[in-house]
Structures are given as structure tokens and as C-alpha cells.
Amino acid sequence: MTQSPEIDLFSSAAKANPYPSYTLVRSSDPVYPLNMEDGHTSWLITRYEDALAILKDQRFIKDFRRLLTPEQREKIREDAYSALSAHMLSADPPDHTRLRALVNISFTPRLVEQWRERIQVLANELIDAIERQEDREFDLIDAFAFPLPIVVITEMLGVPTEDRARFREWSNALLDATGKPEAILGTREKIIAFTMYLRHLIETKRQQLGDDLIGRLLVAEANGDTLNETELISMIFLLLIAGHETTVNLIGNGMLALLQYPEQKQLLQENPLLIKNAIEEFLRFHSPVAISTRRWVGEDLEFGGKQMRRGDPVLVSLAAANHDPEAFAQPDELDITRQENRHLAFGMGIHYCLGAPLARLEGQIAIRTLLQRLPNMRLAVPAEELVWRPSMLLLGVSKLPVAF
Ligand code: HEM
């Protein structure tokens, strides 16, 4: 076996173009023992077939408490973080099945379709505001890609939209700290503030049940043992964070890809019906969730020629899988007309993204509207100067300065 390079999952330079190093690792050591900052080794998965197999294999578990002794479990119950982590993405069946069933219905393509008009109105309002400014330069993330999905998910949940700057601060801090133990310690205060905010919100909403997602969850909570309060808080936390952090990157990365490949931009402008296909290609090309959330090996097993031990952490690189030449022709090229595109940007298996229909709809409306209304948009800085967020999980720029 040839020597594998060290993989950098954090720095802005590595995030701007992680694909060459993924290519090296994929061909030399596709189930790669990656040394993490906390001293542990995580298995990093870079081949498409391996990624698919692990995401669908329930021997790779999400609820790490199953690996602990009763005494260890008791200790973590006191932990600030556990108040927000009793959600479906940290659960295995049967808890996962129960929690997901409570919200599944609200995110089906049919129900999400009812939000189309509202999303279009919001997209237009945001562009109206951009056009009203004297400055012909603006940050696409701040002015458009962030506010659109956060307003949609807060309205769906029934959370006051004016609090969105606070969620952004809290959730950015949490997500940018993933994989970095010291940074995680520094987020404790933010976790506590977020939890208190959610507790207070639930109390207020209990007084007057609204016809929104939180209202429906409160009814479920009151109706029996389907949902306890910690699970309710964790559910709202997950939906708020998953509902906007990722879609921001779909819009940002998608527009960035078009600005970097003007012939693809022109093709889409001349053929607006390609938008659905284009969104799938943006999801594959710069996958907004670069690495899946952590899984643990639930029992000793062999995978890809490696002996894995119970409790080993596993990271599936969706970005690497989505650039695997065994699964995609010319994977490093952006092709909005690509037909064979079974990308893993929304994961796979039981944790397949609940919000995929909503994210797709938001992405399609957002990018189509931007191209229609600001057709001559261009990057206001060289692409090499863009700063990519340091989050291990997410792939997206902090700011996207553009001019029109
Ligand atoms: C482009 C936007 C989005 C991308 C790329 C994305 C990606 C993903 C991925 C990769 C997973 C699986 C993670 C894993 O298995 O480790 C996931 C799960 C999830 N996503 Fe999304 N997501 C997006 C938007 C949304 C939206 C808008 C919502 C809003 C409700 C949402 C809610 C969730 C939830 C609740 C889960 C956990 C599902 C489960 O554990 O069963 N996501 N997402």
C-alpha cells in the first residue's frame, strides 16, 4: 500500500478544493484511519460504494450511549449537550423510527409544495431589498442565501423570525466547532443559551397552541408517551439547524459554481427548465454537507479489508463519494445536464435527509430567481480569496461577495 497523505478537513484552502486529496486517498487507502485532534482515530470513507454500504448498514450506529456502561450514561445525562441531542439524527431504531414518524408527514413533497408561493415571495422581497441599495456589490450569503431558508423553517415551525440572528450565532458556533475538541468546549455557553431559549419558547407556545409544526408536536407530547420534553427541544433544535445551515450552502455553492463556470450559467439562463437537474448537480459538485454526522462501529467487524473495533468513530465523506470516478463520469466537472447522478448529498438509509424535498424546492426557486432578476451577477473578489467555513461537517463559504 502506498503512503496516504494526511487529509485536512478544516482549513479554508483545503475546503476550497478538497477533491485532489480525496482522489489520492480513495485510490491508495479508501477506508482511511484519520488521526483526529482529540487523539482518536476515525475511519474516513471516500469510495461511493463504501459510503453507500455504511450509510445503509445498521451495525454502524448513531446513538453512542449504547457503547457506554450504565455509570458512564448517568454522567452524560448531566451534560449541557445532552439536552439538545435527543433527536433522530443521534438515534437508532426504535427511537429513531418513533421520532421521525412525528414529523415525516410535514416534509413530504406534497406538503412542502404548499410553501412554493411563500418561498417565491420571500426570494423576490430579498432581491427587491438588494436592488434598493445604492451599492451594486453585496454579500450573497448575508443578503439572500441565509435569510431565505431560515425564514422558511422558522415560519414552518412557528418560531419568531426576528430571533434568527441569535440562532445564526449559536448554530454557526456549534457547527464550526465540529471535530475540534477545544472549540466544542468553548460552545458550552451557547448551548445553554440556545436550550434556555427553546425551553422558554415551548412554554410560551404551550399557552397558545398554533397551527404550526411546534403546535402539532406539543399536541403529540400531550397525547401520550410519544415525545418527552427533552426530545421536543432537541427536535426543534435539529430542525432549526438542519433546516437552514445546509440550504444556505446549496444556494451559495450553487451560485458560486455558476459564477466560476460562465458557460454553465449561460446554459441555465437559456434553458430555465434545466433548474431541477442543475440543483442535483450543485448538490453533487459542492456537497453542502461534506461529511456525514459521526457514526460508531456497533460491533467488531471487518470492512474494506480493515478490522474495525466496537466504538470506533466513522466519518463518511459525502463530498469524496460524490466525486468518485467509479460512480460519476468526469466527476470534477460541473455539468448541469448530467443524467446519471445518484449523488449522496442527502445521505442514504434511515437517516436520509428529512428536508430533501424542501431543500430542493428552496434551491430551485432561489437560483432561478437570482438568475432571472440579477442576470449579470459576477464575483466581486477572485475565487481564491473566498473564505470557506472551518466546519468539518459543512462545505460552504462564509461570505460570497458579488456585484451586479
Ligand atoms: C441542501 C440542503 C440539505 C442538505 C445537503 C442536507 C443533508 C443532509 C444529510 C447528508 C443528512 C444525513 C446525515 C447523516 O446521515 O449523517 C440529513 C439529515 C437530516 N436533514 Fe437534511 N439536508 C438539507 C436540508 C435540510 C432541511 C431544509 C431540513 C429541514 C427540515 C433538513 C432536515 C434534516 C433532518 C431532520 C435530518 C435527520 C434525519 C434522520 O436522522 O432521520 N435538512 N440532511
Side-chain angles (χ1 to χ4, degrees), residues 29-302:
D29 199 0
V31 178
Y32 181 72
L34 179 70
N35 297 322
M36 305 294 288
E37 283 187 20
D38 61 5
H40 285 95
T41 301
S42 286
W43 297 106
L44 181 73
I45 309 300
T46 50
R47 287 183 57 227
Y48 181 91
E49 283 305 325
D50 290 344
L52 195 62
I54 288 191
L55 293 173
K56 286 160 77 173
D57 186 339
Q58 292 189 26
R59 290 175 305 166
F60 295 90
I61 64 174
K62 299 262 12 191
D63 183 357
F64 78 98
R65 293 170 310 171
R66 289 169 59 192
L67 302 165
L68 304 178
T69 61
E71 297 75 44
Q72 288 170 322
R73 272 172 178 246
E74 200 47 44
K75 263 198 204 133
I76 57 158
R77 259 164 44 113
E78 315 293 321
D79 189 326
Y81 300 91
S82 47
L84 293 181
S85 46
H87 53 67
M88 68 186 99
L89 196 47
S90 305
D92 298 311
D95 287 335
H96 173 267
T97 324
R98 170 176 56 87
L99 293 169
R100 183 154 173 148
L102 287 167
V103 284
N104 235 345
I105 182 76
S106 304
F107 290 95
T108 56
R110 200 174 56 85
L111 276 180
V112 161
E113 189 55 37
Q114 297 175 356
W115 285 81
R116 177 182 289 277
E117 223 171 285
R118 178 70 186 132
I119 299 171
Q120 185 64 67
V121 168
L122 285 169
N124 281 331
E125 283 176 2
L126 291 168
I127 298 180
D128 291 345
I130 292 166
E131 282 182 328
R132 274 198 302 272
Q133 286 178 2
E134 258 172 41
D135 205 350
R136 302 283 94 175
E137 236 182 81
F138 67 99
D139 173 11
L140 186 78
I141 303 295
D142 233 30
F144 189 86
F146 167 71
L148 183 70
I150 190 83
V151 172
V152 174
I153 195 70
T154 49
E155 287 186 2
M156 282 181 121
L157 283 164
V159 171
T161 299
E162 57 276 16
D163 293 341
R164 66 187 193 223
R166 294 205 268 169
F167 312 141
R168 188 185 194 183
E169 186 202 324
W170 293 326
S171 75
N172 276 2
L174 302 191
L175 288 171
D176 286 351
T178 46
K180 289 184 253 165
E182 275 176 32
I184 289 175
L185 285 179
T187 60
R188 195 164 182 279
E189 266 173 38
K190 300 214 156 53
I191 302 238
I192 293 172
F194 209 162
T195 313
M196 279 171 59
Y197 171 84
L198 292 174
R199 267 191 219 291
H200 178 72
L201 175 73
I202 287 171
E203 271 327 302
T204 318
K205 297 204 61 103
R206 242 193 256 284
Q207 312 303 322
Q208 199 175 6
L209 285 185
D211 180 26
D212 48 41
L213 203 45
I214 296 186
R216 292 197 284 282
L217 289 170
L218 283 168
V219 172
E221 187 205 22
N223 276 352
D225 58 356
T226 41
L227 188 70
N228 65 39
E229 191 181 87
T230 308
E231 289 171 338
L232 176 62
I233 291 179
S234 300
M235 172 88 86
I236 301 170
F237 168 76
L238 173 68
L239 293 174
L240 266 179
I241 290 204
H244 81 280
E245 284 281 5
T246 47
T247 314
V248 177
N249 293 342
L250 169 59
I251 300 171
N253 296 353
M255 278 312 294
L256 174 61
L258 288 178
L259 298 177
Q260 286 182 298
Y261 297 87
E263 75 298 342
Q264 294 282 306
K265 178 168 172 260
Q266 195 183 341
L267 185 64
L268 187 53
Q269 281 172 314
E270 287 167 3
N271 303 277
L273 290 178
L274 279 176
I275 187 68
K276 278 193 180 173
N277 221 58
I279 291 294
E280 299 309 308
E281 179 66 348
F282 302 145
L283 284 161
R284 183 198 71 80
F285 187 70
H286 277 324
S287 305
V289 176
I291 307 249
S292 71
T293 55
R294 201 189 311 261
R295 280 154 175 76
W296 278 271
V297 179
E299 57 190 74
D300 291 355
L301 54 88
E302 201 197 304

Side-chain angles (χ1 to χ4, degrees), residues 262-397:
E263 75 298 342
Q264 294 282 306
K265 178 168 172 260
Q266 195 183 341
L267 185 64
L268 187 53
Q269 281 172 314
E270 287 167 3
N271 303 277
L273 290 178
L274 279 176
I275 187 68
K276 278 193 180 173
N277 221 58
I279 291 294
E280 299 309 308
E281 179 66 348
F282 302 145
L283 284 161
R284 183 198 71 80
F285 187 70
H286 277 324
S287 305
V289 176
I291 307 249
S292 71
T293 55
R294 201 189 311 261
R295 280 154 175 76
W296 278 271
V297 179
E299 57 190 74
D300 291 355
L301 54 88
E302 201 197 304
F303 187 91
K306 298 287 170 77
Q307 197 55 51
M308 295 184 172
R309 299 263 165 246
R310 180 172 185 269
D312 285 354
V314 180
L315 298 172
V316 177
S317 173
L318 305 174
N322 285 339
H323 282 250
D324 183 346
E326 296 281 322
F328 303 95
Q330 266 113 27
D332 297 338
E333 274 178 29
L334 179 78
D335 174 6
I336 59 164
T337 66
R338 190 181 290 275
Q339 293 303 311
E340 277 297 304
N341 189 359
R342 285 148 40 119
H343 65 73
L344 297 180
F346 289 121
M348 196 48 76
I350 62 166
H351 295 283
Y352 181 82
C353 179
L354 173 80
L358 176 62
R360 286 187 159 118
L361 184 65
E362 289 177 333
Q364 289 163 16
I365 294 176
I367 293 194
R368 202 193 47 220
T369 311
L370 282 169
L371 290 180
Q372 270 170 358
R373 295 209 36 204
L374 306 174
N376 301 319
M377 191 193 291
R378 59 184 189 282
L379 275 178
V381 297
E384 307 76 63
E385 284 178 21
L386 294 171
V387 176
W388 292 72
R389 284 181 60 181
S391 162
M392 179 176 81
L393 228 59
L394 300 178
L395 186 70
V397 287

